[in-house]
Each structure stands twice: as C-alpha cells, then as structure tokens.
Amino acid sequence: MKLMKQLWMMAAILFLCGASVTGCKEKAPEPQPESDDVVEEESYLMTIDRYLTENIGKQYAPGQVCIPSYTVIDVDESQTDDIKVWGDFWVFNYNLSGDTLKTVSGGSHPGLIHLQQAGKGYEVKAFDVVADGSDNLESAKKIFGDKYDQFHDINSNAKKREAVRARMIADYVKAHQISATMFQDYGWPVVALPLN
C-alpha cells in the first residue's frame, strides 16, 4: 500500500511539473509550449501514459484530448528488461466545450504492462490485458495472481475510481493549460475538477 501511495505521489508530481501526455489528435486545446532543447528522462509512468494514449486511446472514437486514468496496483522492478506494472488502466477521449471536457469515448483495460529501459526512458514491450466477457474472472486471476483481491477492490469501487479519474484530468488540464474546470460523461451530471 505504501508503494502505491508513493507511485501516486510521483505521478502527481510528474503531471504538475508539466509532464507531456500525447493527445489523441495532433492538436489539443491550448497546449503548454514545449522546448526542443530539453531532453528529459522519462519515467515509466510517463511511458505508460504515452502508451495508453497513443495505442489504446486511438482504438476509440477520437477526441481533442486523450487522458488516461489508472491506479497502479503493484510494480516489480527486479529486472530492468522486464519491469512489470499491474494496474487498473482506463483511457478516455474528450472534447472541450466551454469549460467542460465532454467524454467522447473510452474504456477499461486492466492488466499487466511490461516495460524495458530504452535510451533516456522506457518502452512498453507487452501488455497482458484482462479478457472481456465470460473469460474475465479467470483472466484477471491469472494476470494479477496474489494481487487479485487488491485489483478487485480497486476495480469494483466506482467512487474511488472516479476520484482518481478527476485527479488525473485535473493534473492534465493544469499541465497543458486547458481552460476546463469540469468533465462530463454523456447522460451524466458535470463533475467539478479538484482545485489542488
């Protein structure tokens, strides 16, 4: 649990420091300017963000921005050529309407991401995704193993999951200087983004 809190703190710091997350289209509303002269070391959480937006987010109907939302359940860094990150991963595409990010599309992709070091960062070498439908439970238990109960507690708690989503949207909005203060899923009330 302590490791998970540390990972969330690191993710929040990265977003607040202006970590770049790729949008699902070439132009996101009011992006933060980037410098070509600075090459920063990429954390594996930044690599996961990029992977989710560039590979998973593009499988859905496009929006102006693509923002991942996830809870890391556990990490195994014992092998630099196979860093394992288990998580409850979600991806959402949004269009900005006034001060509200309106959900266009998205979905859930829980599983195990395998990363390896590459240059000044990491790359995703494989993603073991929990199966849909009747194979869901068996697949989740196989992928998460002794972490299954922790995954189930996180995945089945919609209130906590939505709080994580709101926080990650708020961090993205701040880092990219987007004028959104709320987000809204189709047919649902608007949700105010956390201020801090």
Side-chain angles (χ1 to χ4, degrees), residues 5-103:
K5 287 181 183 177
Q6 290 172 341
L7 288 171
W8 273 111
M9 291 287 288
M10 188 166 83
I13 290 167
L14 289 172
F15 275 106
L16 293 174
C17 291
S20 174
V21 176
T22 306
C24 290
K25 285 191 176 179
E26 288 184 21
K27 290 189 175 182
E30 303 172 29
Q32 182 179 24
E34 295 180 7
S35 169
D36 293 333
D37 300 332
V38 179
V39 178
E40 295 181 13
E41 190 170 322
E42 183 177 69
S43 75
Y44 60 76
L45 292 176
M46 292 166 70
T47 301
I48 289 171
D49 289 343
R50 184 169 37 85
Y51 177 82
L52 291 172
T53 57
E54 291 179 0
N55 294 280
I56 307 298
K58 288 186 177 179
Q59 296 175 15
Y60 293 101
Q64 292 172 309
V65 293
C66 181
I67 306 174
S69 170
Y70 55 87
T71 299
V72 171
I73 291 164
D74 201 5
V75 177
D76 178 356
E77 296 176 299
S78 61
Q79 300 175 40
T80 57
D81 64 337
D82 189 16
I83 297 167
K84 299 176 182 74
V85 181
W86 290 267
D88 185 25
F89 303 104
W90 292 72
V91 181
F92 296 95
N93 293 324
Y94 303 92
N95 285 334
L96 183 63
S97 176
D99 63 353
T100 305
L101 283 169
K102 298 203 172 207
T103 307

